[in-house]
Amino acid sequence: FLFNLTADCNAVLKALQPIFQEQGMTETVHNWEDHGYLATYIKKNGSFANLRIHPHGLVLVDLQSYNDHTKGREEVDQLLNKVEERMKELFHGNIKRVKRLPAILRGGVIDRYWPTADGRLVEYDIDEVVYDEDSPFQNIKILHSKQFGNILILSGDVNLAESDLAYTQAIMGSGKEDYTGKEVLILGGGDGGILYEIVKLKPKMVTMVALNIDQMVIDGCKKYMRKTCGDVLDNLKGECYQVLIEDCIPVLKRYAKEGRMFDYVINDLTAVPISTSPEEDSTWEFLRLILDLSMKVLKQDGKYFTQGNCINLTDALTLYEEQLSRLYCPVEFSKETVCVPSYMELY
């Protein structure tokens, strides 16, 4: 509850006390004089409520309860309805805004809460854990969403969902490139989405390699993300592609030494780091290393595609653009913003 003016802390406390007492809840009140009240109400079954009254005009009611049945959830709703009705009866003219947030479900079998790149919490409509394993490199989860299909999550980071063809198309040039007969190098891309889409375009050869491509990611995706990768991960070699289970840095250095050149390099290894202190962040150093090595194996008229990050991370994205002027050779660049469905943000 947000009041138009300062809140009468004592009046709010007295108005709501009977509601909690009717539930058989034990009350404890802390009074901080100029800083308002904190009242806690505890029920015998372990449920409890916190009532925080701020003098400047903010009243917060938090209720925590263990309920695994419909009746329990209905009881919680009824209690909160009574609180809201009582507040509106007594303070209606002074209440600027009433906001009730959905319940956060803690400790469930299915984790539905995942953060965006810029630190916002998103609740997904996940209804099934499809795959959950720890590899030597990371935790690998594939969760099913009613809207987005299966979602690949690596060490807590939402990577790609079956709905996210927009991401794959954008990192390939949004349909503006002709891959026919071309040599293509993919860095990362363990979900197989980029490889699957490029193979359709009849390239001469596609080589996919990463900073330790995780075989368990490939195994999980070829079984549970087939709408994304099709059948390209069933074998590590095809008529016009090969997947190398190697560290991409030595491979890039070897290709540069051999003079092997590519028409396209697509970097799907890592997003632009959130940190805006590149001199202190090894991730930025790694990013610049990959950029420099990629330029050395890219034909003079070739193109390098990579992901950016959430559009709200303006400082980090600007800093990335500054790194492009520090490469050993001059480059020109352009950028595009797309909506990736499962990210729930512009990217």
Side-chain angles (χ1 to χ4, degrees):
F1 301 89
L2 183 63
F3 281 60
N4 287 316
L5 304 172
T6 57
D8 185 336
C9 298
N10 192 47
V12 173
L13 184 63
K14 288 183 177 180
L16 298 183
Q17 275 176 332
I19 296 176
F20 296 107
Q21 291 170 352
E22 289 169 4
Q23 301 294 317
M25 304 178 87
T26 304
E27 179 188 68
T28 302
V29 178
H30 301 273
N31 182 358
W32 291 298
E33 297 181 356
D34 294 338
H35 300 287
Y37 288 91
L38 169 64
T40 60
Y41 300 90
I42 303 174
K43 205 169 184 178
K44 290 182 179 179
N45 65 0
S47 299
F48 67 92
N50 289 326
L51 171 62
R52 183 68 172 97
I53 308 169
H54 296 271
H56 68 271
L58 179 65
V59 177
L60 305 175
V61 181
D62 295 308
L63 180 61
Q64 292 195 27
S65 175
Y66 178 76
N67 290 305
D68 57 356
H69 52 83
T70 303
K71 183 179 179 181
R73 291 191 291 271
E74 290 176 351
E75 290 175 352
V76 169
D77 286 337
Q78 289 171 4
L79 176 59
L80 294 176
N81 288 340
K82 288 181 179 180
V83 169
E84 188 170 331
E85 289 169 6
R86 183 67 56 84
M87 289 290 285
K88 287 181 176 179
E89 286 174 4
L90 297 176
F91 307 105
H92 182 71
N94 290 321
I95 296 177
K96 182 178 181 181
R97 184 168 72 241
V98 177
K99 182 71 174 181
R100 188 188 298 192
L101 302 177
I104 294 178
L105 306 178
R106 297 175 171 90
V109 175
I110 300 174
D111 186 359
R112 304 190 300 186
Y113 304 96
W114 300 94
T116 59
D118 59 343
R120 292 172 291 111
L121 187 63
V122 174
E123 179 177 0
Y124 286 83
D125 57 347
I126 292 169
D127 58 4
E128 182 184 357
V129 178
V130 177
Y131 182 85
D132 188 356
E133 298 288 345
D134 288 312
S135 78
F137 308 105
Q138 59 202 331
N139 173 258
I140 306 162
K141 284 185 175 67
I142 298 177
L143 307 178
H144 180 263
S145 158
K146 297 175 185 177
Q147 294 181 83
F148 307 122
N150 287 345
I151 305 175
L152 175 65
I153 299 175
L154 300 179
S155 296
D157 182 39
V158 175
N159 269 238
L160 197 74
E162 292 177 317
S163 63
D164 296 342
L165 182 59
Y167 172 92
T168 304
Q169 290 175 333
I171 205 170
M172 290 170 52
S174 297
K176 302 171 186 175
E177 306 299 321
D178 181 8
Y179 287 93
T180 306
K182 300 297 174 62
E183 291 271 1
V184 183
L185 177 62
I186 301 173
L187 306 178
D191 53 71
I194 299 172
L195 180 61
Y196 180 53
E197 295 301 324
I198 287 185
V199 165
K200 296 178 187 177
L201 304 177
K202 303 185 185 306
K204 180 180 179 181
M205 175 56 67
V206 183
T207 300
M208 188 169 94
V209 62
L211 186 72
N212 294 317
I213 285 186
D214 195 332
Q215 183 66 51
M216 290 181 66
V217 173
I218 291 177
D219 292 342
C221 289
K222 73 180 181 183
K223 186 173 183 180
Y224 300 112
M225 299 280 292
R226 294 190 76 84
K227 290 182 181 178
T228 295
C229 65
D231 59 358
V232 295
L233 297 181
D234 292 351
N235 298 291
L236 297 183
K237 285 189 177 182
E239 290 185 6
C240 63
Y241 72 89
Q242 61 177 340
V243 179
L244 305 181
I245 311 297
E246 298 183 50
D247 186 328
C248 72
I249 293 177
V251 171
L252 283 168
K253 290 180 177 178
R254 184 172 74 241
Y255 286 169
K257 186 176 181 180
E258 295 171 351
R260 185 171 177 185
M261 305 296 282
F262 294 87
D263 298 287
Y264 295 94
V265 175
I266 301 176
N267 180 357
D268 194 33
L269 286 171
T270 181
V272 167
I274 294 174
S275 169
T276 53
S277 301
E279 66 280 356
E280 300 174 1
D281 192 329
S282 61
T283 307
W284 281 100
E285 295 173 7
F286 166 74
L287 187 148
R288 285 194 295 269
L289 173 63
I290 294 296
L291 273 167
D292 265 326
L293 289 173
S294 297
M295 296 305 109
K296 291 178 180 178
V297 300
L298 191 64
K299 294 180 180 179
Q300 191 167 358
D301 60 348
K303 292 185 179 180
Y304 174 90
F305 290 111
T306 189
Q307 60 177 307
N309 210 317
C310 165
I311 197 170
N312 285 341
L313 298 173
T314 53
D315 291 343
L317 291 168
T318 299
L319 186 55
Y320 175 80
E321 294 177 14
E322 292 175 3
Q323 309 310 306
L324 302 181
S325 63
R326 299 172 59 182
L327 300 178
Y328 82 96
C329 64
V331 298
E332 296 178 351
F333 72 92
S334 62
K335 53 190 175 181
E336 180 181 3
T337 300
V338 297
C339 179
V340 183
S342 77
Y343 291 7
M344 298 196 194
E345 56 189 349
L346 291 178
Y347 213 74

